[in-house]
Amino acid sequence: MKIHEYQAKEIMKWYGIDVPNGRAAFSPEEAARIAKDLGSPVAVVKAQIYAGGRGKAGGVKLAHTIDEVKYFASQLLGKRLVTHQNGPEGTVVNRLLIEEGINIVKEYYLGMTIDRDSARIVMMGSADGGMEIETVAKEHPEHIVYEYIDPTAGLQPFQARRMAYRMKFPEYVISKVAKTMENLYQLFVDKDCSLAETNPLVLTADHRIVAADAKLNFDDSAIYRHPEIYALRDESEEDPKERDAAKASLSYINLGGDVACMVNGAGLAMATVDLIKFYGGEPANFLDVGGDSTVEKIAEAFRIMQSDDQVHSVFVNIFGGINKCDVIAGGIVEAAKVVGLKVPVIARLDGTNVEAGRKILREANLPMVHAMEKMEEGAELAVKLAAETKAKLAEGKEA
Amino acid sequence: MSVFVNKDTKVLVQGITGHQAKFHTKIALDYGTNIVAGVTPGHGGEMVLGVPVFNTVSDAVEATGATASIIYVPARFAADSIMEAVDAGLDFVCCITEHIPVLDMIKVRAYLKGKKTIFLGPNCPGILTVDECRLGLLPTYINKKGHVGVISRSGTLTYEATYQLTHAGIGQTTCVGLGGDPVKGIDFIDALEAFNKDEDTYAIVMIGEIGGNAEEKAAAWIKANMKKPVIAFISGRQAPPGKRMGHAGAIISGGMGTAAGKIKALNDAGIEVADTVAQIGETAVRVLKKAGIYDECHTC
């Protein structure tokens, strides 16, 4: 789970990490009021969206007067901000962070995440602050320093010191930097983070170490332990279909194409998306219905898939291990009754109770449903029928 | 022969009184798995499906001599259950539970250091040695006895691959589902090493997916050590970066963990990778023929 920068900064503040003074604003008037309260000669107006790359996309402005703050706020609020991370559609800006300007001497990068190989939290740092760490890793891997943290002992002061020296902080702030690292580590483990990052972490003219930007991501599996974090969720940042799917315990990811896929198991769901593409189609989604499907769940999956006008066929690819093919087939019949089938459905069912499943589909005799025995033939047909549906719709529009 | 578990493995089931555990314990017993005990705190002294239940793993081990455990326990209690099994000195422990917090698994991995237990999972379909032993969720009817080992990060792809092998007349020794979490127990190399030593296994099918670098490392290990043919498949060629594809571990981040990178590493190690999920069986047949071991592997 992600949260906004202003929320991440608030949490960092609880943990004793220095952040610029500032507050969230939801209107230009509020922005102006906050800037007035801050009373600093320069204020920063920052668009609050989850995607990174806001600066380059014009989502961060420097204001020298209260009027300027108000002007930038009115420009940004409601604007669709397109960064290299959030795709061509971008994200609408609904909230801003209004902050005091800080006098920056140098920018650094500090981050923590999970290292799969060592099964430890890894701390990463670099003197190349402000740049994307992926870019630094690619172009100057030697500019990044790492500390792997023993989970039983936790981050030790010597590691933090060593890291601070290797990041080339001046001597007079080494202990301050080390303390910031220890605080960030404590936050990471207390709140079950999957990523904690400040980029840039800045050294100011008055010798402060300040998190000028802040990003915290949390482990979805551990969120039950942190209701105060869950409460920070911003639903407007979520894809409505992905949100509906999550409510029905379906794992759904929008991929933008026109051949919808309904599959059991994450691995097979990914492989099915690949298969559609292999046959020249454009997959509309990744959808894993999970291991214990019910008729209702399958019907809901159909509702979500078909809510997209762009979908021109549905490929059902089920291998019943725990799932039973008769339940899936029952779900398709139920979906036809309750939701209605708007586009051709190609169903490949195999595994547990396959004969019963195929029989249910045969007897229901649904004109939109094509039962296939072979996966690759099913995928090919789904791609072909999607193209036909699309052509028919285009004809209809012209007529 | 087989890897990790066989007909002599004495299995205990943690969380045996739960609904899912009962369902799968029944299937495992019917399959001939030597289940000797169950554990659920507060249920000691009860019987489930003819299996005696104990309050603690240590009690169960003391009374029955259990050597392996399968854990069906909800996510918030799972890490504790794994460590209880490791503490009891079991040889092999498997946990199928999904959504265990990553920091809990980091603790488990630290706890495993220096212990003899081999840990499989979590968030995995389990392990099945054909006609001998079943821990976890794997459907039993798709397997036929033979000489090919299967290793996979995904449940349904394990079933799909096994089914295609059986369909092509290629039987199996053991199917190992590694699981889809970023921090887990044994990985490809551990399973490959075991299959490499197993005299009954002549070839291995490995199924990977996007995220992490376990497949790349396995490719290098295979090139240096493997004496038997390996057939591979990687899912997630079309996965967009930054999106978690169902499994917590299946995510491309910072340009790392892409399917293309994994396929290239495998190809560079001389391993044939099936183009699509539908071609795993036929690719296996082709590789076995090329290696001259198709006839021995054609067991069903």
Side-chain angles (χ1 to χ4, degrees), chain A residues 21 36 48 186 233 249 260 276 286 320 394:
Chain A
N21 285 319
K36 214 168 157 190
Q48 298 293 289
Q186 201 53 51
R233 244 167 98 236
S249 317
I276 293 298
F286 162 100

Side-chain angles (χ1 to χ4, degrees), chain A residues 54-94:
Chain A
R54 292 169 302 168
K56 273 185 203 146
V60 179
K61 306 281 186 194
L62 270 184
H64 296 85
T65 64
I66 304 294
D67 282 345
E68 260 185 21
V69 169
K70 203 169 171 181
Y71 170 75
F72 287 135
S74 63
Q75 291 288 301
L76 283 172
L77 283 168
K79 184 185 165 178
R80 209 169 262 283
L81 205 58
V82 179
T83 84
H84 69 284
Q85 278 188 12
N86 61 3
E89 286 184 15
T91 313
V92 175
V93 179
N94 293 317

Side-chain angles (χ1 to χ4, degrees), chain A residues 116 219 253 274 350-352, chain B residues 102 141 163 236-238 244 249:
Chain A
R116 296 181 185 218
D219 178 2
I253 290 163
D274 296 348
D350 218 326
T352 307
Chain B
V102 178
Y141 68 95
Y163 186 69
R237 289 177 199 236
Q238 301 303 327
R244 172 180 149 169

Side-chain angles (χ1 to χ4, degrees), chain B residues 23-91:
Chain B
F23 177 78
H24 286 290
T25 299
K26 170 90 173 60
I27 297 173
L29 285 166
D30 291 346
Y31 198 59
T33 309
N34 186 16
I35 296 177
V36 297
V39 171
T40 301
H43 291 258
E46 294 175 15
M47 297 287 275
V48 170
L49 301 162
V51 176
V53 182
F54 299 84
N55 286 321
T56 69
V57 174
S58 326
D59 285 353
V61 171
E62 205 172 297
T64 64
T67 56
S69 170
I70 170 69
I71 300 175
Y72 302 99
V73 166
R76 53 184 78 186
F77 312 114
D80 179 52
S81 296
I82 299 167
M83 290 190 272
E84 185 181 4
V86 174
D87 174 76
L90 297 175
D91 296 327

Side-chain angles (χ1 to χ4, degrees), chain A residues 254-276:
Chain A
N254 197 348
L255 297 175
D258 70 343
V259 182
C261 305
M262 188 184 91
V263 191
N264 64 322
L268 187 58
M270 261 188 282
T272 304
V273 164
D274 296 348
L275 194 62
I276 293 298

Side-chain angles (χ1 to χ4, degrees), chain B residues 26 123 193 219 223 236 295:
Chain B
K26 170 90 173 60
N123 188 16
E193 208 169 0
K223 200 172 177 187
D295 290 338

Side-chain angles (χ1 to χ4, degrees), chain B residues 6-282:
Chain B
N6 58 40
K7 61 183 187 325
D8 299 322
T9 305
K10 288 184 174 176
V11 179
L12 78 82
V13 180
Q14 284 173 263
I16 194 167
T17 47
H19 175 73
Q20 193 191 26
K22 271 188 210 161
F23 177 78
H24 286 290
T25 299
K26 170 90 173 60
I27 297 173
L29 285 166
D30 291 346
Y31 198 59
T33 309
N34 186 16
I35 296 177
V36 297
V39 171
T40 301
H43 291 258
E46 294 175 15
M47 297 287 275
V48 170
L49 301 162
V51 176
V53 182
F54 299 84
N55 286 321
T56 69
V57 174
S58 326
D59 285 353
V61 171
E62 205 172 297
T64 64
T67 56
S69 170
I70 170 69
I71 300 175
Y72 302 99
V73 166
R76 53 184 78 186
F77 312 114
D80 179 52
S81 296
I82 299 167
M83 290 190 272
E84 185 181 4
V86 174
D87 174 76
L90 297 175
D91 296 327
F92 189 87
V93 174
C94 172
C95 178
I96 58 112
T97 309
E98 195 178 356
H99 302 307
I100 301 179
V102 178
L103 291 185
D104 290 8
M105 280 313 302
I106 285 184
K107 260 190 221 153
V108 168
R109 278 278 297 268
Y111 194 80
L112 276 161
K113 274 233 174 83
K115 311 278 199 322
K116 66 169 183 173
T117 307
I118 295 171
F119 174 62
L120 175 66
N123 188 16
C124 78
I127 181 167
L128 180 143
T129 288
V130 183
D131 296 343
E132 296 191 27
C133 183
R134 171 188 185 270
L135 306 186
L137 318 173
L138 291 157
T140 51
Y141 68 95
I142 54 176
N143 286 90
K144 287 280 182 302
K145 206 156 188 64
H147 301 289
V148 172
V150 178
I151 314 169
S152 170
R153 268 170 77 183
S154 139
T156 35
L157 282 183
T158 314
Y159 318 156
E160 186 70 53
T162 306
Y163 186 69
Q164 286 181 30
L165 289 174
T166 297
H167 220 71
I170 312 291
Q172 308 91 36
T173 45
T174 303
C175 297
V176 185
L178 300 172
D181 271 11
V183 175
K184 56 172 170 277
I186 62 167
D187 218 321
F188 282 111
I189 293 180
D190 308 285
L192 286 164
E193 208 169 0
F195 278 124
N196 208 19
K197 284 187 203 142
D198 176 38
E199 285 171 15
D200 220 21
T201 301
Y202 303 160
I204 294 99
V205 172
M206 67 173 270
I207 294 164
E209 64 190 27
I210 54 161
N213 63 352
E215 291 82 358
E216 288 88 334
K217 280 170 43 186
W221 188 90
I222 290 166
K223 200 172 177 187
N225 305 289
M226 198 72 191
K227 297 176 292 197
K228 303 168 184 183
V230 177
I231 301 99
F233 174 70
I234 303 290
S235 62
R237 289 177 199 236
Q238 301 303 327
K243 288 271 189 181
R244 172 180 149 169
M245 303 303 270
H247 289 156
I251 181 163
I252 299 168
S253 53
M256 295 283 291
T258 64
K262 290 172 190 298
I263 293 166
K264 185 176 182 302
L266 290 162
N267 284 336
D268 287 351
I271 300 156
E272 212 174 308
V273 181
D275 281 334
T276 74
V277 57
Q279 291 170 18
I280 298 171
E282 57 191 81

